[in-house]
């Protein structure tokens, strides 16, 4: 009986440790994601980029590979029940929260809503005394998942590119699940 118990403990130990191991993000540059989107679709990635927010603007960018000249645009959304509160076309009314946690392509996407996220979000959504024409920006290291479809404009075969999300389906999608760090204000 003692041998059987030891065999069971040894036999189940690897299974237990595998189930508890969190997914490790792929550390990559946003430029690499834009250059080879197919390698990163639905995967957990981490990169440093400049996030922007304004009217019809919720993007992540890297000055080394700006949109549209250096690859697809990357629209940004928050996971969980939070939202970037961005106006982006056609009957959508922006708001800072959603009724249910975000699910994209059948994948539930949570959000670590901690102090780093709250600082990031507050800097992207400052209270302005006058309407702003320019978007607000924040440089940060972000963790999340990438989504996109290689398709033509408005469901046609014309000008196929990585898109399907954001304002008028302009872009790929990056869903922020955690803000790792936020650069100091300039």
């Amino acid at each position: 009986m003692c041998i059987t118990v030891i065999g069971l403990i040894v036999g189940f130990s690897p299974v237990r440790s595998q189930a508890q191991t969190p997914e490790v993000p792929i550390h990559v540059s946003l430029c690499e994601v834009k250059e080879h989107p197919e390698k990163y679709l639905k995967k957990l990635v981490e990169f440093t980029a400049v996030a922007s927010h304004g009217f019809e603007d919720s993007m992540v960018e890297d000055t080394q590979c700006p949109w549209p000249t250096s690859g697809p645009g990357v629209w940004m959304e928050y996971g969980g029940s939070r939202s970037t509160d961005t106006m982006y076309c056609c009957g959508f009314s922006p708001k800072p929260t959603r009724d249910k946690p975000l699910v994209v392509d059948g994948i539930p996407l949570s959000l670590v809503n901690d102090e780093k996220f709250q600082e990031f979000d507050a800097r992207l959504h400052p209270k302005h005394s006058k309407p702003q024409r320019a978007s607000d920006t924040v440089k940060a290291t972000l963790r999340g998942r990438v989504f996109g479809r290689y398709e033509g404009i408005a469901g046609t075969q014309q000008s196929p590119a990585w898109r399907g999300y954001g304002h008028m389906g302009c872009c790929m999608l990056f869903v922020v699940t955690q803000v790792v760090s936020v650069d100091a204000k300039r």
Side-chain angles (χ1 to χ4, degrees), residues 63-74:
T63 58
Q64 301 300 309
C65 55
W67 179 56
T69 57
S70 297
V74 183

Side-chain angles (χ1 to χ4, degrees), residues 123-138:
R123 287 183 43 199
L124 270 183
H125 298 88
K127 304 293 182 217
H128 295 290
S129 59
K130 297 179 183 177
Q132 298 289 304
R133 288 190 148 268
S135 295
D136 292 293
T137 62
V138 179

Side-chain angles (χ1 to χ4, degrees), residues 58-59 67 72-76 147-149 162-173:
S58 179
M59 305 281 284
W67 179 56
V74 183
W75 190 265
M76 177 185 66
F147 298 89
R149 296 186 290 269
W162 287 97
R163 62 177 98 227
Y165 298 92
H167 181 59
M168 302 192 72
C170 67
C171 306
M172 294 175 39
L173 175 65

